[in-house]
Amino acid sequence: VKNFMLQITQNSQVSIHFKIRLKDGSIAEDSQAYNHTFDFKMGDASLPSKLEAQLLGLQKGDHKKVMLMSEDAFGDSHPALIFNMPRDKFDPELVLEEGLIMGFSNPAGQDQPGVIREINGDDVKVDFNHPLAGHVLMFEVDVMNVSDVAPVLETVETVDAV
């Protein structure tokens, strides 16, 4: 018998702890490592939509495991997002290592993370796919809190007549 706690709906504000595991069982991400919950509004694209669909109906205290294929999680890895860049485009003081995630600016001036995949002499291969793209992932979710999203109230300015 469900109690009267709020269930997650398409309009809920939700706080969760989560772990993302790779196929081999290793942990790729763990929100508890940061000592704070991951807070989001359902439908805001913070999580893959297939994962959100699995959260509907859950309540505070619930635990759920969801396996997502790569195309339902962070997408497949696209070779067109892997670029070779000359080493001299990087700060000479920077120690480049394979697996290093760095911030770059894309042509629109927005921050874009890239992963150093390979260093071959003066050539550096940078992968701009999401670091978890191309992976089957197991999400483990603990629901910490559920609330209704409060409607936005308009502020009406009043002027007192003198």
Side-chain angles (χ1 to χ4, degrees):
V1 173
K2 288 268 189 184
N3 57 22
F4 293 106
M5 286 194 294
L6 286 176
Q7 292 184 7
I8 296 176
T9 68
Q10 293 175 342
N11 298 314
S12 295
Q13 182 73 33
V14 183
S15 296
I16 61 173
H17 274 299
F18 69 89
K19 284 185 181 137
I20 301 175
R21 292 184 186 271
L22 300 175
K23 199 174 185 179
D24 67 3
S26 62
I27 296 175
E29 189 70 52
D30 183 351
S31 68
Q32 290 185 334
Y34 305 110
N35 292 324
H36 63 80
T37 57
F38 179 72
D39 303 329
F40 66 99
K41 180 189 179 307
M42 291 290 284
D44 72 358
S46 294
L47 295 175
S49 60
K50 296 261 180 156
L51 177 58
E52 276 196 8
Q54 295 295 314
L55 300 180
L56 291 171
L58 296 181
Q59 298 178 341
K60 179 179 178 179
D62 285 348
H63 176 83
K64 183 147 190 172
K65 291 183 180 183
V66 178
M67 182 182 296
L68 293 180
M69 302 309 290
S70 63
E71 62 271 15
D72 295 327
F74 296 102
D76 292 322
S77 183
H78 296 286
L81 295 176
I82 301 172
F83 296 90
N84 285 314
M85 301 175 74
R87 174 62 174 101
D88 62 12
K89 293 282 185 187
F90 297 86
D91 182 339
E93 304 289 314
L94 185 64
V95 178
L96 293 178
E97 300 176 336
E98 289 182 16
L100 178 68
I101 299 175
M102 298 182 54
F104 293 85
S105 289
N106 67 19
Q110 299 167 319
D111 289 336
Q112 174 85 36
V115 180
I116 306 299
R117 291 290 178 211
E118 189 178 307
I119 303 166
N120 190 0
D122 289 334
D123 289 325
V124 180
K125 188 178 285 188
V126 182
D127 185 347
F128 290 100
N129 285 287
H130 188 284
L132 295 175
H135 292 278
V136 173
L137 301 173
M138 173 65 75
F139 288 82
E140 297 177 30
V141 178
D142 289 302
V143 181
M144 306 309 291
N145 197 31
V146 179
S147 60
D148 285 329
V149 175
V152 177
L153 300 176
E154 284 189 37
T155 304
V156 178
E157 202 171 304
T158 57
V159 179
D160 290 334
V162 190

